[in-house]
């Protein structure tokens, strides 16, 4: 039989009792930070949202929604090179994430990496065949890569869909 001194038992009980409030406090802080970051994004203050999302991603590393928001903030803040690995990490977990596919492609196009934008754009169009923006981005990427016939077919698709 193990005898636990009363003081240790009391400390353990207090620790267990205080642990939920400490976790709850951290959760409330993270929720407030997330709300602040969303407000900054809505106000087009993307660069200011980036460090907040970085902190949130660090605190909740498995949260792909926060990682996607970080990548979007980076891309919209004019940091497409920083956003690309984050979009790719989201796509490893959620390969059919339309926002990640389209935003990854946009970041690639901003960096003049048209060839690397084509595959995610084609996948995005498979998921959303009527997405005129995706088809237009794909056609431009194909044209940049001298795939003139394929680009022309995509531009025709856009014209037909707008008719």
């Amino acid at each position: 039989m193990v005898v636990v001194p009363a003081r240790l038992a009391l400390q353990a009980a207090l620790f267990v009792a205080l642990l939920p409030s400490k976790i709850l406090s951290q959760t409330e802080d993270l929720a407030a930070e997330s709300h602040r970051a969303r407000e900054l994004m809505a106000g087009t203050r993307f660069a200011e949202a980036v460090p907040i999302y970085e902190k949130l991603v660090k605190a909740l590393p498995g949260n792909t929604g926060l990682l996607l928001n970080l990548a979007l903030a980076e891309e919209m803040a004019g940091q497409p090179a920083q956003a690309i690995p984050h979009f790719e990490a989201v796509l490893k977990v959620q390969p059919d994430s339309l926002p990640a596919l389209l935003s990854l492609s946009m970041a690639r196009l901003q960096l003049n990496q048209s060839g690397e934008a084509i595959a995610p754009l084609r996948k995005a169009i498979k998921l959303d065949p009527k997405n005129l923006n995706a088809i237009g981005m794909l056609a431009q990427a194909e044209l940049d890569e001298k795939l003139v016939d394929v680009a022309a077919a995509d531009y025709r698709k856009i014209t037909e869909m707008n008719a």
Side-chain angles (χ1 to χ4, degrees):
M1 179 166 120
V2 176
V3 178
V4 178
R7 185 177 177 137
L8 283 178
L10 182 60
Q11 286 176 338
L14 282 173
F15 176 75
V16 171
L18 293 175
L19 189 59
S21 67
K22 196 170 198 173
I23 291 172
L24 183 60
S25 174
Q26 282 180 326
T27 303
E28 288 173 356
D29 290 346
L30 293 174
E33 289 287 309
S34 179
H35 180 72
R36 174 77 178 127
R38 280 193 309 271
E39 286 179 344
L40 289 169
M41 292 289 284
T44 67
R45 295 166 58 190
F46 310 117
E48 293 176 56
V50 170
I52 297 171
Y53 279 124
E54 287 173 336
K55 178 181 173 185
L56 290 168
V57 166
K58 193 176 233 182
L60 301 164
N63 189 316
T64 55
L66 289 174
L67 188 57
L68 177 61
N69 287 345
L70 169 59
L72 290 169
E74 290 170 327
E75 191 267 326
M76 289 188 256
Q79 303 169 6
Q82 289 84 352
I84 287 172
H86 296 133
F87 287 129
E88 290 173 338
V90 169
L91 289 168
K92 282 183 183 176
V93 178
Q94 298 175 348
D96 292 341
S97 170
L98 192 58
L101 288 165
L102 292 172
S103 298
L104 171 62
S105 302
M106 179 61 73
R108 294 282 188 199
L109 291 171
Q110 289 172 359
L111 294 171
N112 296 315
Q113 299 172 351
S114 299
E116 294 178 42
I118 291 174
L121 283 167
R122 286 184 178 158
K123 185 168 187 175
I125 293 166
K126 268 189 180 176
L127 295 169
D128 185 5
K130 295 183 182 192
N131 189 321
L132 294 175
N133 290 328
I135 298 168
M137 287 170 47
L138 175 61
Q140 184 59 54
E142 292 165 339
L143 198 56
D144 291 346
E145 292 298 306
K146 311 290 188 252
L147 303 169
V148 178
D149 292 339
V150 182
D154 286 331
Y155 281 125
R156 276 193 292 279
K157 256 189 244 176
I158 293 170
T159 304
E160 291 167 5
M161 291 170 79
N162 279 326

